[in-house]
Amino acid sequence: LETDDPISQQIVCILCSENTLFGMGNPLLDISAVVDKDFLDKFGLKPNDQILAEDKHKALFEEIVKRSKVEYHAGGSTQNSVKIAQWMIQKPHKVATFFGCIGTDRFGEILKKKAEEAHVDAHYYEQNEEPTGTCAACITGDNRSLVANLAAANCYKKEKHLDLDSNWELVEKAKVYYIAGFFLTVSPESILKVAKHASDNNKIFCMNLSAPFISQFFKEPLMKVMPYVDILFGNETEAATFAKELGFETDDIAEIAKKTQNLPKDNAKRQRVVVFTQGKDDTVATVGERVTMFPVLDIDQNDIVDTNGAGDAFVGGFLSALVQEHALEECIRAGHYSANVIIRRVGCTFPEKPDFH
């Protein structure tokens, strides 16, 4: 808040001091290009999906960089979200901390530079065994198919980074924690350490279902962390897959949210909040004992440039209000605003300042 009133100035600073928000995940460089159906078919991709790269996708990365209008953006789901949260807050800088692993290479340098430009306090674990991770965003119309080649991101080591005193002190400084489900494929032990710290100290730990494959193939580590999750995010597809994997026997999204809210929880002082986005349809959230629908902002189909990063942006906006201790309704409104901004632009990018009140 731009204000000369010392009292309100003080309130803003107290709630948003440096390192209040902590994120940890896979830092990736997004390589995005508009492709056609033939390209998707060639590599066996669904128009709207997120997957991890396999050997058969090697050629995809070589081909996509040769496309006429290829764009490079700093990405990675959690990193996107903390960046958007920082953008929404504006000042002070470095409210958001980010941990992840990169390579000692040109792409790694770009990620460092981009994090700095976004005023995020990024502390990367740097290693030279693997190159910095990349994510091919294959855009067709308003769909995006993401293929992540984790590479260095997959090399994050708890004992080599998170456990170091200077790094753990940053974790302890935070009040709100956010880790996308994608990081479960990399370092579940790091997630658990942070989640338990949050739970033991009555702080807020947030997580995201991230992609259907997480619930399908990483269900065990996901469910180990679930008792510590205070706020769970996901979209309608991820919610449906999660419900199926847990045998909820319903495809009603409100009911799935309720059943997810009622899963076992470690810190009984905080009731779990479940928030499911559904693209242009209402966002579904558990508010106390009720499940409430929150309509998203209207947007003309023609104004949608690229939905890549919409979910990350929603979470970022939500977190920006959460660290300022706003009510759930306000957090969702902030999430809807930032997602609405991001889908009008290529990649998870944003204008200089938000216009949100």
Side-chain angles (χ1 to χ4, degrees), residues 188-209:
E189 56 286 352
S190 296
I191 302 178
L192 272 171
K193 184 175 181 179
V194 171
K196 284 179 176 163
H197 166 79
S199 188
D200 292 345
N201 294 278
N202 196 28
K203 298 181 190 177
I204 304 174
F205 182 80
C206 315
M207 201 155 185
N208 202 316
L209 293 175

Side-chain angles (χ1 to χ4, degrees), residues 7 10 13 30 39 55 67 87 103 159 183 211 225 230 246 261-262 275 291 305 308 340 348 354:
I7 304 293
Q10 210 180 345
C13 299
D30 281 352
F39 184 92
D55 284 343
R67 293 262 150 177
W87 170 72
E159 55 287 350
F183 202 57
V225 183
D230 296 301
L246 264 72
Q261 179 186 37
N262 291 330
V275 184
V291 177
V305 173
N308 183 22
N340 185 276
C348 198

Side-chain angles (χ1 to χ4, degrees), residues 77-308:
S77 185
T78 305
Q79 185 168 243
N80 282 342
S81 294
V82 298
K83 227 175 240 182
I84 298 270
Q86 179 66 55
W87 170 72
M88 288 281 285
I89 290 163
Q90 289 286 308
K91 282 186 174 154
H93 291 164
K94 297 190 173 181
V95 169
T97 316
F98 179 76
F99 285 7
C101 182
I102 59 175
T104 48
D105 50 23
R106 188 171 69 89
F107 283 178
E109 288 306 313
I110 294 174
L111 286 186
K112 284 202 276 194
K113 190 169 141 287
K114 294 287 186 191
E116 204 177 316
E117 284 169 9
H119 307 299
V120 167
D121 194 14
H123 293 256
Y124 296 114
Y125 169 49
E126 297 180 49
Q127 49 73 58
N128 52 19
E129 315 251 304
E130 286 280 343
T132 296
T134 48
C135 178
C138 311
I139 315 289
T140 52
D142 56 11
N143 285 323
R144 57 25 161 198
S145 196
L146 307 177
V147 184
N149 180 26
L150 296 184
N154 209 17
C155 302
Y156 189 84
K157 299 277 182 288
K158 175 176 166 288
E159 55 287 350
K160 293 250 177 82
H161 195 261
L162 185 69
D163 292 345
L164 304 183
D165 289 346
S166 58
N167 289 330
W168 186 250
E169 277 168 20
L170 290 168
V171 176
E172 292 180 321
K173 267 179 92 172
K175 294 190 308 193
V176 175
Y177 301 84
Y178 175 65
I179 302 175
F182 289 125
F183 202 57
L184 287 163
T185 75
V186 174
S187 185
E189 56 286 352
S190 296
I191 302 178
L192 272 171
K193 184 175 181 179
V194 171
K196 284 179 176 163
H197 166 79
S199 188
D200 292 345
N201 294 278
N202 196 28
K203 298 181 190 177
I204 304 174
F205 182 80
C206 315
M207 201 155 185
N208 202 316
L209 293 175
S210 291
F213 81 83
I214 298 292
S215 297
Q216 289 167 315
F217 307 114
F218 295 88
K219 181 168 120 184
E220 197 184 337
L222 174 64
M223 295 319 289
K224 265 201 178 127
V225 183
M226 199 57 74
Y228 306 104
V229 177
D230 296 301
I231 302 178
L232 182 71
F233 298 101
N235 67 21
E236 73 278 39
T237 327
E238 293 148 12
T241 307
F242 181 70
K244 202 168 132 205
E245 289 299 321
L246 264 72
F248 283 174
E249 293 183 348
T250 178
D251 47 17
D252 178 289
I253 193 144
E255 213 173 314
I256 295 171
K258 195 79 205 129
K259 291 195 171 200
T260 305
Q261 179 186 37
N262 291 330
L263 290 169
K265 190 152 187 318
D266 186 70
N267 175 14
K269 291 194 200 88
R270 293 184 187 277
Q271 186 180 31
R272 182 180 295 117
V273 172
V274 179
V275 184
F276 292 144
T277 57
Q278 309 188 83
K280 61 182 187 318
D281 296 325
D282 293 2
T283 294
V284 178
T286 58
V287 183
E289 298 310 309
R290 296 194 316 281
V291 177
T292 310
M293 303 293 196
F294 297 89
V296 302
L297 294 162
D298 280 335
I299 185 167
D300 186 329
Q301 247 354 73
N302 301 323
D303 290 335
I304 300 177
V305 173
D306 155 14
T307 53
N308 183 22

